[in-house]
Amino acid sequence: MSLSIAVPSKGRLEENARQFFARAGLSLTRGRGARDYRGGIDGYANIEVSYLSASEIARGLADGGLHVGITGLDLVQETVPDHEAALVPLIPLGFGHADVVIAVPEAWIDVDTVADLSDVSILMRQRDGRVPRIATKYLTLTRRYLAGLGMADHRDYRLIESAGATEGAPASGTADLIVDITTTGSTLRANGLKVLSDGTILKSQAHLVASLRAEWGDNELSSLKAVLSRIDAEARARTTRIVTAIAEDKSVAQISEIVDADPFISPGPTGEMMLRFQLPAADVLATADRMREAGARHISITAAEYLVEPDDPVFDLLVVKLKRL
């Protein structure tokens, strides 16, 4: 049986997914071109790639028809009620960012929090005999979030499932407020809406997600481990720098304490020691300054294309979850 991986079928999400795999040296193929919904990864005969919509990917992972897929956390948490038992988010991918938010009309100047919204609900019941109507495509996320803040469907608000442009619902009179996704907030503002200060339900982005309901055999696990090893090696290299330096033997202990790591040590010129470290990219220049003050010389900082390590924490996480089933 092949490992099944699903990626978004078109648009910016497909392009970003393709670039994500390419950075790890994994080249996605697509059979007969853009209209073919089946493909693979060059050099991996036991991997089949399906090109689907992000919502189809979430459903396929939930029912076990797919092993791994790229989809947004908003879709995972909205469409899979028991997502924590069914799915494992493996890697955040850094694209497809979107916040699921509660937005009310800007004219509601005294409404800034969910607590204020609760007060509006009480006022509407007393004055109009109804509760605020919320238009959304995110019924599950909305109910769960508001329940956590003490508000219940039908008692404090009524959900109206949105089939079109949700942000237009208050202006058209079909709803009083909305729950929707936004990236910059510009569309909400253009429609006279504002986000509640505590109204961010979920900060979502695309993730590589694994299914716990798929049939995982040794072949599928082996193929996934090979893919994740490539991805991990690229991610480590992107966030790590390799530092080499020369120092006298008496300075090695102090330099090792500064970098908080045991160096790889080899004999250097004129009896000195050559040191080699791996350091987080964000800290490397400040650490190099401290190394120099401690006696290090000829400090060189380089980036690697890949850094392959024996441990694979992302794959190990999935194996642990599968063993618990």
Side-chain angles (χ1 to χ4, degrees), residues 40-277:
I41 297 179
D42 273 347
Y44 291 83
N46 291 329
I47 296 178
E48 180 181 89
V49 176
S50 298
Y51 293 86
L52 305 169
S53 70
S55 58
E56 288 174 323
I57 293 172
R59 289 193 293 269
L61 292 167
D63 65 23
L66 298 169
H67 291 100
V68 182
I70 290 178
T71 190
L73 286 188
D74 57 322
L75 290 170
V76 166
Q77 296 192 21
E78 175 62 29
T79 62
V80 188
D82 57 344
H83 60 89
E84 292 183 348
L87 307 173
V88 182
L90 298 176
I91 305 171
L93 303 183
F95 60 83
H97 290 279
D99 296 343
V100 181
V101 300
I102 305 171
V104 303
E106 290 176 344
W108 292 14
I109 57 175
D110 294 328
V111 180
D112 183 59
T113 67
V114 174
D116 295 332
L117 183 60
S118 182
D119 292 339
V120 169
S121 176
I122 295 171
L123 179 62
M124 278 191 175
R125 280 200 306 270
Q126 294 172 344
R127 186 188 64 194
D128 306 323
R130 69 177 184 89
V131 292
R133 299 160 300 167
I134 304 176
T136 186
K137 297 180 179 74
Y138 296 94
L139 306 177
T140 300
L141 282 170
T142 302
R143 285 194 188 97
R144 184 187 303 143
Y145 185 75
L146 292 178
L149 296 173
M151 296 184 68
D153 192 3
H154 296 295
R155 186 193 71 192
D156 301 302
Y157 62 87
R158 183 163 67 90
L159 290 181
I160 297 174
E161 187 168 6
S162 174
T166 304
E167 64 273 5
S172 70
T174 58
D176 300 293
L177 65 148
I178 69 169
V179 170
D180 203 7
I181 58 170
T182 183
T183 52
T184 65
S186 58
T187 301
L188 296 177
R189 291 190 293 271
N191 284 272
L193 301 171
K194 64 179 182 180
V195 178
L196 296 182
S197 60
D198 58 350
T200 299
I201 294 176
L202 176 68
K203 299 185 76 67
S204 180
Q205 64 173 299
H207 275 64
L208 187 68
V209 180
S211 172
L212 295 176
R213 292 175 175 163
E215 293 187 16
W216 289 98
D218 290 342
N219 290 336
E220 292 76 35
L221 287 171
S222 177
S223 294
L224 180 62
K225 184 171 185 178
V227 168
L228 291 179
S229 294
R230 288 284 193 97
I231 293 170
D232 180 68
E234 187 277 331
R236 288 180 194 259
R238 187 164 20 94
T239 58
T240 304
R241 294 295 179 266
I242 298 171
V243 180
T244 59
I246 291 177
E248 295 181 1
D249 186 59
K250 63 182 181 180
S251 302
V252 170
Q254 184 180 357
I255 294 170
S256 298
E257 184 176 348
I258 288 170
V259 300
D260 193 25
D262 293 326
F264 175 79
I265 304 174
S266 60
T270 64
E272 294 177 309
M273 298 291 108
M274 181 171 287
L275 313 179
R276 184 177 182 275
F277 302 89

